[in-house]
Every structure is written in structure tokens, then in C-alpha cells.
């Protein structure tokens, strides 16, 4: 039986990448008079690198090698601050909704006394505004631990952010279940030893999810069934705590 659910944010709680982060990066590039433009296809490739600052540096090295790396040390943090401002303004206007079933599952978990946490590579401000604007004004307080951004040096697929969260929860990995949407995220949670359920997103549907307890299109809702892509199929329409517990036990992470 797990005691805590640990949620990724981007792609898992909400579809934030294509019409959120990507547009905010492009607006920041414009504000700085740069001719960089990340279209939907290019952004899919750049998502292999987690973290916005790291992603911009990767882009320059790969696509704009003419820029000296010494210039980037000042430019990238400034661009990233501007990008975060654009992104949080968009979110504050309710710009991006929660994915199907997320609110329902969080409410069920809260009512059942399951502890909640977040493990993400994105900037802490982005998490706060998303939770407040798209979930509930008090939703930040629903999560006992929020691990985000630069609190660890190595971002996903390194396990560091999950290990940071586990330490603060005071729980061993097998007493938790992680929810992720990407291969990088799954590799991070699995390296930390946490059984993980994946809900794919547009950018991640063709990635390798071996090692996941189950892979689904989304969490589903009553009357709006999810489709299960991998893992023990228990014939359920949507994900609730009972289903997560059965998958957790099937993964060999149940009571010793
Ligand atoms: C999400 C990310 C984030 C965002 C950008 O990965 O990679 O970097 O794209 O956020 P995951 P910042 O869902 O695996 O945590 O610009 O704030 O870094
Ligand atoms: Mg993600």
C-alpha cells in the first residue's frame, strides 16, 4: 500500500508544453530582439533536454553555434526570467486547464488521507501559479512537499528531484507511487526506485515507457474512459485510488 502520490507537473497535471512553455520562450526571444523561433516540431526535439535554461543552451549549441558560450552565461538567465514572467502571466489568466481526472484523483487522495507531493524540473513560480489558477486558490497547500527547478543540480532523467522529495516525505520509494508523462520523467522516478504510472501526452506518446507499472492515455473520468496502453488491464474506465493500489501491488511494491 502506498502512502504518498508524487506528481510530475508539465504534461502530467496539465498540457503545459506546446501552448504554454513554448510560446513563453518565443515571446522572451522576441522581447530580446532574437530571431529564434521554436515551432511545434522543433520544440518536440528540444524537450529531450529538461529545464528551460538547459534547453536554451542546448538549442544554441546545436542550432546557433556562432554564439560564444561566454555570452550565454549572462543571456540565458535573463531570457529565462523573462520567459517565466510571460508563462506565469498566461497561467494566471487560467490559460491552461488540468488534464482529465487530475482534480478528481487529487480530491479522492486528500479525502483518503493519502499524502501528496510534486517532483518537477520546472521553476517553482510556475508550479504555484498553475496550482492556484487552474486547480484551486489553496491547492499549493494540498501538497506536503513541492520539489521544483534548481533545488537539485541534476534535472530529470537524473533521480535527484525524486530522492529530494522522498527524503522530505520521510518515506522509502516503495511506499510511494509516481505519476509521469515522459521517458525522462519515468527514468528519473524509476532510478529513485518509485513505481510509476504514465499518462502519455502529445509530445511523449512514442517514447519508451518500459518499467512503468501502467501506461495510459490519461487518468479518465466517469463517462470519459481512458485507454490503457500497457500494464495489467483491470477493465476500469478511469484511474482512482483503488486501481492505483492494485497496480502498485502488482508491481511488487505492496505490503512486505
Ligand atoms: C518539464 C520541463 C520544464 C519546462 C520548462 O519536464 O522540462 O523544463 O519545459 O520549465 P518534467 P522551466 O515534466 O519532466 O518535469 O523553463 O521553468 O525550466
Ligand atoms: Mg512531464
Amino acid at each position: 500500500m502506498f502512502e504518498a502520490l508524487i506528481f510530475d507537473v508539465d504534461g502530467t497535471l496539465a498540457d503545459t508544453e506546446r501552448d504554454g512553455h513554448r510560446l513563453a520562450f518565443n515571446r522572451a526571444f522576441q522581447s530580446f530582439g532574437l530571431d529564434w523561433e521554436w515551432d511545434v516540431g522543433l520544440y518536440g526535439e528540444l524537450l529531450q533536454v529538461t529545464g528551460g535554461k538547459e534547453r536554451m543552451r542546448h538549442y544554441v549549441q546545436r542550432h546557433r553555434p556562432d554564439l560564444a558560450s561566454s555570452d550565454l552565461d549572462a543571456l540565458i538567465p535573463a531570457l529565462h526570467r523573462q520567459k517565466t514572467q510571460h508563462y506565469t502571466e498566461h497561467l494566471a489568466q487560467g490559460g491552461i486547464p488540468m488534464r482529465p481526472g487530475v482534480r478528481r484523483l487529487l480530491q479522492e487522495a486528500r479525502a483518503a488521507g493519502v499524502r501528496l507531493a510534486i517532483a518537477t524540473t520546472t521553476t517553482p513560480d510556475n508550479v504555484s501559479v498553475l496550482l492556484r489558477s487552474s486547480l484551486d486558490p489553496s491547492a499549493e497547500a494540498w501538497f506536503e512537499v513541492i520539489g521544483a527547478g534548481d533545488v537539485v543540480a541534476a534535472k530529470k532523467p537524473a533521480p535527484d528531484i525524486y530522492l529530494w522529495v522522498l527524503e522530505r516525505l520521510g518515506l522509502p520509494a516503495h511506499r510511494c507511487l509516481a505519476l509521469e508523462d515522459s521517458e525522462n520523467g519515468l527514468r528519473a522516478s524509476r532510478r529513485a526506485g518509485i513505481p510509476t504510472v504514465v499518462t502519455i501526452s502529445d509530445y511523449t506518446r512514442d517514447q519508451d515507457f518500459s518499467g512503468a507499472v501502467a501506461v495510459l492515455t490519461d487518468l479518465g473520468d466517469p463517462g470519459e474512459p481512458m485507454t490503457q496502453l500497457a500494464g495489467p488491464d483491470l477493465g476500469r474506465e478511469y484511474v482512482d485510488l483503488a486501481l492505483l493500489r492494485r497496480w502498485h501491488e502488482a508491481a511488487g511494491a505492496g505490503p512486505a
Side-chain angles (χ1 to χ4, degrees):
M1 195 87 89
F2 55 79
E3 282 180 50
L5 293 176
I6 308 176
F7 285 83
D8 168 50
V9 174
D10 296 303
T12 300
L13 291 184
D15 258 322
T16 49
E17 294 291 3
R18 194 191 64 188
D19 300 329
H21 289 294
R22 185 182 67 87
L23 298 182
F25 281 115
N26 283 334
R27 286 192 62 195
F29 302 153
Q30 278 169 18
S31 316
F32 276 67
L34 295 164
D35 66 348
W36 309 354
E37 165 116 35
W38 290 358
D39 64 26
V40 171
L42 173 61
Y43 194 66
E45 289 167 35
L46 297 174
L47 276 174
Q48 285 167 11
V49 177
T50 61
K53 294 187 287 292
E54 294 82 352
R55 189 169 300 144
M56 285 190 276
R57 187 173 287 276
H58 167 82
Y59 168 74
V60 173
Q61 284 161 354
R62 178 68 59 89
H63 298 271
R64 303 282 168 145
D66 45 303
L67 267 175
S69 59
S70 55
D71 298 338
L72 293 181
D73 293 341
L75 178 61
I76 285 182
L79 271 173
H80 194 251
R81 278 192 294 277
Q82 184 79 54
K83 176 259 168 178
T84 300
Q85 196 175 325
H86 289 313
Y87 181 72
T88 51
E89 279 167 10
H90 179 53
L91 288 186
Q93 292 157 4
I96 302 193
M98 290 288 123
R99 290 192 66 187
V102 168
R103 174 186 301 276
R104 174 186 52 72
L105 181 62
L106 287 171
Q107 283 169 337
E108 187 192 1
R110 272 163 53 75
V114 172
R115 298 166 68 190
L116 296 173
I118 278 176
T120 177
T121 65
T122 204
T123 302
D125 277 358
N126 298 346
V127 181
S128 305
V129 181
L130 177 73
L131 294 178
R132 262 189 264 131
S133 308
S134 301
L135 189 54
D136 187 274
S138 65
E140 261 181 293
W142 298 3
F143 296 88
E144 197 177 318
V145 178
I146 297 183
D150 298 329
V151 292
V152 290
K155 293 188 174 156
K156 300 175 188 177
D160 302 35
I161 193 66
Y162 277 101
L163 297 172
W164 189 95
V165 168
L166 287 176
E167 194 185 326
R168 275 150 192 83
L169 285 171
L171 289 173
H174 70 273
R175 306 287 287 176
C176 300
L177 185 81
L179 292 103
E180 273 287 354
D181 74 301
S182 70
E183 184 177 343
N184 276 329
L186 174 65
R187 282 164 66 193
S189 59
R190 293 301 298 134
R191 284 175 184 172
I194 306 170
T196 303
V197 170
V198 171
T199 50
I200 59 167
S201 55
D202 273 348
Y203 273 128
T204 67
R205 62 181 64 253
D206 297 323
Q207 295 180 349
D208 177 6
F209 294 122
S210 45
V213 174
V215 182
L216 322 163
T217 49
D218 52 69
L219 296 176
D221 261 328
E224 291 172 40
M226 47 108 169
T227 301
Q228 189 165 340
L229 307 169
D233 188 346
L234 303 172
R236 301 292 302 277
E237 184 180 30
Y238 58 89
V239 175
D240 59 7
L241 282 183
L243 183 56
L244 290 180
R245 290 205 162 106
R246 289 180 67 184
W247 278 333
H248 190 254
E249 283 178 20

